Every structure is written in C-alpha cells, then in structure tokens.
Amino acid sequence: MRKVAAFVAVLALGVTGAAFAHGGDAPSIKLESARAVGHTIVVHVQIEHWKMLPSRVGKKPNSPTGGHWHVFVDGKYNNFSANATTGKALKVTAGWHIVQAELANNDHSELKPPVKSRTMRVHVG
C-alpha cells in the first residue's frame, strides 16, 4: 500500500511540474473547423497557453512556452502552421479524410505529453 501511495505522490509531482513548465496552465489546441477548398483542407484552431514563434520554426533550442502546430491527415503529418488560428493541409486526394491538429516544438518534435485536438472528418471533392 505504501508503494502505491508513493507512486501516486511521484506521479502528482510530475504532472504538477509539467504544468508549471508551461506557466501554470497546460497548452491546448482545439480543432474548430476543417473544410475542403479544392484539394486543400483549411483548418481553424483555438490555441491556449502556447505562443506561435514563426521565426523559430525548425530551430533549436525549443521554447517551453511556444512553437507552432502540425496538421495531420489520416494520421500522417501533412503541413505545419505558425498562425495562431489558421492552417492548411496541402495536396489532399479526393474522398473522405480524418484531420487532426497537434502542438509542436520549434524543432517539429511533439510536446511531452503530446497535445492533440479531436479529429474531424472532411470530404474533399
């Protein structure tokens, strides 16, 4: 029983530490909408507690409070955006697709733990 209590205490410290690393509030990304425009999918997101750092995309060191975000189509990376509200998936084939957004560090690595939006189904005509 003591081992379980100790593990829970350590886990709680790790979660608290992660929250403080981001200024006390965990970053989040919400997929607001995704719509097809030709063979592109225009994606609108709402991001909280994560700054866009367009001049730092692809560069190290990573910032603990910002970076950019990625667009995934059918579970595969498609494109990135350093715009706080809008991004695009490019060269998407006709048919139904699953779109998701994920926050990313400057060097394109995912946050630990990963911060992803819900998925959305989109038809490209």
Side-chain angles (χ1 to χ4, degrees):
M1 185 68 168
R2 286 185 184 176
K3 288 182 181 179
V4 172
F7 176 74
V8 170
V10 170
L11 183 61
L13 283 173
V15 170
T16 303
F20 283 120
H22 296 290
D25 293 309
S28 66
I29 186 165
K30 178 181 177 185
L31 186 57
E32 300 257 309
S33 67
R35 64 181 175 86
V37 178
H39 286 279
T40 299
I41 298 174
V42 177
V43 178
H44 292 276
V45 297
Q46 179 182 350
I47 297 171
E48 293 186 2
H49 310 295
W50 191 250
K51 296 180 216 167
M52 294 296 102
L53 303 172
S55 65
R56 303 285 308 141
V57 173
K59 300 176 184 172
K60 287 191 174 188
N62 290 326
S63 167
T65 59
H68 60 283
W69 57 282
H70 292 165
V71 180
F72 287 83
V73 177
D74 301 327
K76 295 179 182 175
Y77 172 82
N78 180 282
N79 199 13
F80 76 90
S81 179
N83 182 294
T85 59
T86 307
K88 292 180 182 178
L90 306 172
K91 299 179 183 175
V92 182
T93 60
W96 285 99
H97 297 281
I98 302 296
V99 178
Q100 187 173 39
E102 179 180 12
L103 294 180
N105 289 306
N106 302 340
D107 68 357
H108 292 285
S109 64
E110 66 182 10
L111 278 60
K112 301 288 185 214
V115 178
K116 299 179 181 187
S117 72
R118 67 182 176 97
T119 60
M120 193 173 283
R121 196 166 180 232
V122 179
H123 187 265
V124 175

